[in-house]
């Protein structure tokens, strides 16, 4: 039997509305602890493009479809930010021996408004839409909180870019 380890390259996708409401998911694998986070997930193979990983993970974890060819695909933006962090000890067994760090690419997905979410029950037990500052406070991961706090910068930039295009 071949053991398949996770690739230490993942995405963090901040799903949000134009009014800065942010979707958070509660992890299912942490017992009673409330681990709230944005959509996250590892590449399926080392050459998988970041956008493809992000769209797949958003679809799998929320049922929101931003895969290539869908109306939301154009609203999935690579923020060109990366975090390198030490993998939490509780999850080291998922990676090959000796792997201790993960590179996380940050993307944002703008949805038109708060929308229904279909959770993957094995991964998440609940979801909530919150204003971006409250969402950042609720995140267990410092890099996730930091990404959410960057949201006004990216949304304002997108608004300026769209106004310039008209």
């Amino acid at each position: 039997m071949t053991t398949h380890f996770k690739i230490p390259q993942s995405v963090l996708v901040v799903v949000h509305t134009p009014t800065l409401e942010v979707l958070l998911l509660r992890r299912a694998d942490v017992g009673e602890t409330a681990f709230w986070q944005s959509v996250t997930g590892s590449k399926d193979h080392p050459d998988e493009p970041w956008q493809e990983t992000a769209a797949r993970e958003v679809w799998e974890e929320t049922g929101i479809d931003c895969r290539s060819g869908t109306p939301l695909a154009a609203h999935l933006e690579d923020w060109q930010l990366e975090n390198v962090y030490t993998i939490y000890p509780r999850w080291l067994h998922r990676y090959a021996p000796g792997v201790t760090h993960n590179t996380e690419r940050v993307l944002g997905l703008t949805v038109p408004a708060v929308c229904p979410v279909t959770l993957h029950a094995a991964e998440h037990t609940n979801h909530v839409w919150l204003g971006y500052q409250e969402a950042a406070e609720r995140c267990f991961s410092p890099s996730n909180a930091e990404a959410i706090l960057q949201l006004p910068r990216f949304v304002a930039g997108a608004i300026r870019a769209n106004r310039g295009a008209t």
Side-chain angles (χ1 to χ4, degrees):
M1 182 171 101
T2 304
T3 302
H4 295 285
F5 293 111
K6 287 181 72 152
I7 296 167
Q9 296 178 331
S10 65
V11 294
L12 169 69
V13 185
V14 179
V15 179
H16 64 89
T17 68
T19 57
L20 308 182
E21 294 166 287
V22 174
L23 174 64
L24 289 183
L25 309 173
R26 185 183 183 282
R27 290 188 66 103
D29 62 356
V30 292
E32 295 301 314
T33 306
F35 273 41
W36 290 91
Q37 65 181 45
S38 293
V39 171
T40 62
S42 296
K43 288 185 170 188
D44 273 351
H45 55 85
D47 296 329
E48 184 178 34
W50 292 117
Q51 297 272 127
E52 189 176 314
T53 304
R56 177 179 47 75
E57 289 294 337
V58 168
W59 171 247
E60 290 174 1
E61 294 185 12
T62 70
I64 298 170
D65 196 355
C66 62
R67 294 174 294 179
S68 181
T70 66
L72 283 178
H75 300 281
L76 179 62
E77 294 183 60
D78 187 338
W79 289 1
Q80 301 295 313
L81 299 173
E82 286 188 357
N83 301 305
V84 177
Y85 62 85
T86 303
I87 298 166
Y88 285 104
R90 73 179 335 145
W91 292 307
L92 277 173
H93 68 278
R94 298 177 179 177
Y95 298 87
V99 173
T100 60
H101 289 78
N102 184 72
T103 299
E104 173 184 76
R105 185 71 167 220
V106 182
L107 298 93
L109 173 64
T110 306
V111 295
V114 169
C115 59
V117 172
T118 303
L119 297 176
H120 186 285
E123 292 191 41
H124 300 100
T125 60
N126 201 357
H127 76 281
V128 65
W129 290 91
L130 299 170
Y132 82 98
Q133 291 174 318
E134 187 178 350
E137 290 172 11
R138 193 172 293 192
C139 286
F140 82 93
S141 161
S143 65
N144 195 162
E146 172 82 16
I148 291 171
L149 291 173
Q150 295 287 322
L151 184 57
R153 183 179 114 197
F154 287 98
V155 170
I159 291 169
R160 281 193 301 275
N162 288 337
R163 284 185 185 148
T166 57

